[in-house]
Amino acid sequence: MLSLKSETPPDWVARIEPHMDEVLVDHAHCEKKAAGTAMNMIFSYVEHPQFVVPLTEVVEEELLHFRQVIELITARGGKLVGQPQSSYGRRLGALIRTAEPHKVVDRCCVAALIEARSCERFTLLRDHLGDRHLADFYGTLLESEARHHALYLRLAEHFADKGDIWSRLEHLAGEEAAIVADGDPIPRLHA
Ligand SMILES: [Fe+2]
Ligand SMILES: [Fe+2]
């Protein structure tokens, strides 16, 4: 159960497969950003240990994924380079309300949706990539991204009622589906 409001079209893997070197660079940045998101939440809510402690595990896992993707890029003869910010992350970030506790609920919901979309796409890559080595790698990442998705939604419950969280998640999931449908000029995991 991933809370997403749209399904990635089945031809998505075939479309990005010729660009996997670029997708891996984007993927590395995504893992780095995922670690940063969890770390930023630790900074913001450090006075709530039950909220913060599970996030330390997320930081560690995302940094491990970051390292693994860099190793893959290097093994393929590539190099991690900078890239323009994705409109996906920027537009989702802009939906986060500014006053607490709405802010923390939205930060958790947005993070949960990004994890869910990663999980959905990693599943497609595992099942349909022709490069079996790469497909197997995506298979190994699935479980932790699904777990992160569920964790962010659970963490939001430190600050709001379940009902409020779910109605906000419904709304943000609709926005996420619209944003992902707009795509991106460069091949990316979330475009
Ligand atoms: Fe990750
Ligand atoms: Fe994750």
Side-chain angles (χ1 to χ4, degrees), residues 2-165:
L2 286 173
S3 331
L4 296 173
K5 290 272 188 199
S6 70
E7 247 179 66
T8 294
D11 69 340
W12 176 74
V13 175
R15 274 192 281 124
I16 65 153
E17 185 149 22
H19 310 286
M20 280 315 290
D21 288 324
E22 284 159 278
V23 171
L24 280 166
V25 167
D26 179 59
H27 183 178
H29 286 287
C30 288
E31 299 291 359
K32 179 198 68 184
K33 282 181 271 184
T37 295
M39 195 69 215
N40 286 337
M41 289 218 231
I42 290 172
F43 272 88
S44 299
Y45 308 106
V46 73
E47 288 172 14
H48 302 269
Q50 287 171 315
F51 184 88
V52 157
V53 171
L55 285 174
T56 62
E57 229 170 89
V58 177
V59 174
E60 286 172 357
E61 286 182 343
E62 304 295 20
L63 281 179
L64 171 65
H65 298 165
F66 178 56
R67 206 158 58 230
Q68 288 173 320
V69 180
I70 291 177
E71 282 165 7
L72 250 175
I73 292 169
T74 309
R76 292 163 64 97
K79 190 173 177 291
L80 180 57
V81 289
Q83 67 176 185
Q85 194 190 11
S86 76
S87 59
Y88 179 79
R90 181 177 42 76
R91 289 173 65 189
L92 278 174
L95 297 170
I96 294 171
R97 293 169 293 180
T98 50
E100 296 289 7
H102 301 309
K103 186 176 179 176
V104 64
V105 169
D106 287 4
R107 288 172 82 177
C108 287
C109 286
V110 164
L113 288 167
I114 295 173
E115 296 284 351
R117 186 61 72 184
S118 303
C119 188
E120 188 221 21
R121 297 216 157 163
F122 291 177
T123 307
L124 292 174
L125 292 167
R126 178 197 62 186
D127 294 345
H128 301 294
L129 269 181
D131 181 334
R132 293 318 299 165
H133 177 66
L134 215 47
D136 289 345
F137 172 66
Y138 280 103
T140 66
L141 299 181
L142 273 179
E143 178 268 337
S144 55
E145 310 306 9
R147 196 158 27 79
H148 297 161
H149 162 73
L151 173 69
Y152 276 116
L153 294 180
R154 251 193 343 270
L155 287 177
E157 291 176 29
H158 285 284
F159 296 97
D161 291 341
K162 239 184 183 146
D164 292 342
I165 297 164

